[in-house]
């Protein structure tokens, strides 16, 4: 009888899940609504303002600023994919999600993450051509050539993300339907599956290597070449080098949180469940808050146009 019961349980696969991140905080859990809501609000407002400044000024319609605008779009979309659901869960306890909804959220969150990495690579290439190959800059960075440059990485990202999402969707989830997370991260869901999940973990690692790691290698090579070129040329490209520093700051912030969150599920560590969830939410939300501020403060052209916009608003009578 016990054997028949075990077989019956193993053949059940949950199709509805509960996202229960920060459950260890108990009655203090709803208080997290305040900082996360403020970060979400900052992310939405800052990225919308950055986009408005770039779109409304023709002087900022060059390839570099278009790339910054695309980064703002990704930084806007990233939090929208998971923060509203997380806020409702923290404040009202609305934490239910279907397996299909979970897989869709997983795909869009991870695809958004890989697209950010690809965009950082494009920014590095933009600076490489501007500093090291200025005569070929407009040839390689015009819209048609730029689309050819970015389409292959975007297809790569889509294929790899789709692969591990489909594999996750084929698993049987019979142990529990409670996901110890605030959104549907790949390993947070897969670790609830019955049986061996080594193939899912392997595909996830390979996908991360072929997207984030490969992009990071090419980004590093580009900036090494740029710095060598600047050192040889003296102060000629000092202004362009300041833009590179801005891109490097953004890259370090984004990849540091992503790497720690990624490894926390795959190597033995002393992270508590709440700490792991916090790191995962930060690698999606923190860069979205900081990127527009970093670009706005460190990029002179954007800063000047933003100050003009603020002065214009002050002049308009209420």
């Amino acid at each position: 009888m016990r054997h028949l019961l075990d077989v019956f349980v193993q053949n059940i696969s949950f199709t509805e899940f509960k996202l229960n991140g920060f459950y260890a905080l108990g009655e203090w859990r709803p208080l997290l609504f305040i900082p996360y809501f403020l970060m979400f609000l900052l992310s939405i407002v800052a990225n919308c303002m950055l986009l408005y400044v770039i779109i409304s000024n023709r002087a900022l319609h060059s390839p570099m600023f278009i790339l910054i605008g695309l980064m703002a779009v990704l930084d806007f979309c990233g939090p929208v994919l998971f923060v509203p659901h997380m806020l409702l869960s923290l404040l009202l306890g609305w934490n239910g999600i279907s397996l299909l909804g979970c897989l869709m959220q997983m795909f869009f969150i991870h695809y958004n993450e890989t697209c950010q990495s690809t965009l950082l690579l494009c920014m590095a290439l933009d600076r490489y051509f501007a500093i090291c190959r200025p005569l070929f800059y407009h040839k390689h960075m015009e819209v048609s050539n730029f689309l050819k440059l970015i389409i292959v990485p975007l297809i790569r990202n889509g294929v790899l993300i789709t692969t591990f999402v489909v594999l996750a969707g084929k698993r049987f989830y019979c142990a529990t339907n409670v996901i110890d997370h605030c959104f549907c991260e790949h390993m947070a869901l897969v670790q609830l599956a019955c049986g061996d999940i080594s193939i899912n973990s392997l595909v996830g690692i390979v996908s991360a290597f072929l997207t984030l790691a490969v992009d990071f290698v090419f980004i590093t090579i580009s900036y090494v070449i740029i710095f060598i070129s600047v050192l040889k040329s003296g102060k000629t490209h000092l202004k362009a080098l300041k833009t590179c520093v801005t891109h490097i700051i953004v890259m370090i912030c984004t990849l540091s949180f992503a790497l720690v969150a990624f490894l926390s599920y795959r190597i033995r560590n002393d992270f508590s469940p709440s700490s792991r969830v916090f790191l995962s939410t930060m690698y999606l939300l923190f860069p979205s808050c900081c990127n527009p501020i970093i670009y706005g403060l460190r990029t002179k052209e954007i800063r000047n146009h933003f100050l003009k916009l603020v002065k214009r608003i002050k002049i308009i009578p209420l």
Side-chain angles (χ1 to χ4, degrees), residues 82-98:
F82 79 98
V83 174
H85 189 276
M86 182 179 73
L87 293 177
L88 290 173
S89 173
L90 292 173
L91 190 63
L92 303 175
W94 296 358
N95 55 1
I97 190 169
S98 66

Side-chain angles (χ1 to χ4, degrees), residues 20 52 127 132 170 254 270 303 318:
N20 201 31
Y52 176 77
R127 293 299 84 197
C132 303
K170 290 183 177 181
T254 303
D270 296 325
R303 184 172 65 249
L318 296 176

Side-chain angles (χ1 to χ4, degrees), residues 2-144:
R2 178 65 180 272
H3 175 71
L4 292 175
L5 182 61
D6 290 341
V7 172
F8 176 74
V9 170
Q10 289 177 359
N11 287 331
I12 296 176
S13 183
F14 290 108
T15 57
E16 298 290 333
F17 294 89
K18 294 180 180 179
L19 293 164
N20 201 31
F22 299 113
Y23 72 92
L25 297 180
E27 62 183 8
W28 297 101
R29 186 173 179 264
L31 293 179
L32 289 176
F33 173 88
I34 298 173
Y36 276 113
F37 174 75
L38 292 176
M39 290 186 71
F40 178 64
L41 190 63
L42 173 62
S43 172
I44 298 301
V45 172
N47 283 293
C48 285
M49 289 181 67
L50 179 59
L51 275 172
Y52 176 77
V53 169
I54 293 174
I55 293 172
S56 61
N57 293 280
R58 284 187 169 275
L60 300 180
H61 290 182
S62 63
M64 182 183 73
F65 297 109
I66 291 174
L67 289 172
I68 293 175
L70 290 174
M71 179 64 77
V73 172
L74 293 177
D75 285 335
F76 174 86
C77 294
V80 169
L81 293 170
F82 79 98
V83 174
H85 189 276
M86 182 179 73
L87 293 177
L88 290 173
S89 173
L90 292 173
L91 190 63
L92 303 175
W94 296 358
N95 55 1
I97 190 169
S98 66
L99 176 59
L100 179 60
C102 191
L103 294 173
M104 290 177 64
Q105 189 185 67
M106 182 192 302
F107 173 84
F108 287 114
I109 286 176
H110 287 291
Y111 188 70
N112 182 275
E113 176 193 353
T114 56
C115 286
Q116 285 185 330
S117 173
T118 299
L119 205 52
L120 288 172
L121 174 60
C122 291
M123 288 180 173
L125 292 176
D126 174 84
R127 293 299 84 197
Y128 167 77
F129 286 117
I131 296 173
C132 303
R133 298 288 186 271
L135 297 177
F136 299 96
Y137 179 79
H138 292 289
K139 176 184 176 183
H140 290 286
M141 295 307 297
E142 65 181 8
V143 176
S144 59

Side-chain angles (χ1 to χ4, degrees), residues 130-306:
I131 296 173
C132 303
R133 298 288 186 271
L135 297 177
F136 299 96
Y137 179 79
H138 292 289
K139 176 184 176 183
H140 290 286
M141 295 307 297
E142 65 181 8
V143 176
S144 59
N145 289 329
F146 172 73
L147 290 176
K148 292 177 184 177
L149 179 71
I150 200 172
I151 193 68
V152 174
L154 291 179
I155 293 174
R156 173 205 62 180
N157 298 346
V159 170
L160 292 171
I161 301 301
T162 300
T163 300
F164 70 67
V165 169
V166 170
L167 288 174
K170 290 183 177 181
R171 304 295 309 188
F172 282 90
Y173 299 95
C174 60
T176 179
N177 69 334
V178 178
I179 303 174
D180 185 16
H181 215 300
C182 289
F183 62 91
C184 288
E185 195 173 42
H186 177 232
M187 288 305 298
L189 173 66
V190 168
Q191 68 181 0
L192 303 181
C194 305
D196 184 19
I197 60 170
S198 57
I199 185 65
N200 298 83
S201 180
L202 178 62
V203 172
I205 292 173
V206 170
S207 299
F209 174 78
L210 293 177
T211 53
L212 302 179
V214 169
D215 288 350
F216 178 75
V217 169
F218 283 110
I219 290 170
T220 304
I221 293 172
S222 298
Y223 283 124
V224 168
I225 296 173
I226 289 170
F227 280 115
I228 292 174
S229 176
V230 170
L231 290 174
K232 288 181 178 179
S233 62
K235 296 183 178 180
T236 307
H237 299 296
L238 189 60
K239 181 181 177 182
L241 186 61
K242 291 181 180 179
T243 308
C244 292
V245 173
T246 302
H247 295 168
I248 292 171
I249 292 172
V250 172
M251 181 182 69
I252 291 174
C253 290
T254 303
L255 295 181
S256 296
F257 278 112
L259 180 63
V260 174
F262 178 81
L263 293 178
S264 66
Y265 280 99
R266 289 171 170 83
I267 62 174
R268 188 172 296 177
N269 57 72
D270 296 325
F271 286 131
S272 66
S274 294
S275 298
R276 187 183 294 122
V277 174
F278 173 77
L279 288 170
S280 294
T281 55
M282 282 299 102
Y283 87 74
L284 290 176
L285 192 53
F286 182 78
S288 297
C289 295
C290 291
N291 288 356
I293 297 174
I294 292 172
Y295 285 125
L297 292 177
R298 290 193 59 86
T299 307
K300 182 180 178 181
E301 294 85 351
I302 293 177
R303 184 172 65 249
N304 290 341
H305 283 289
F306 176 74

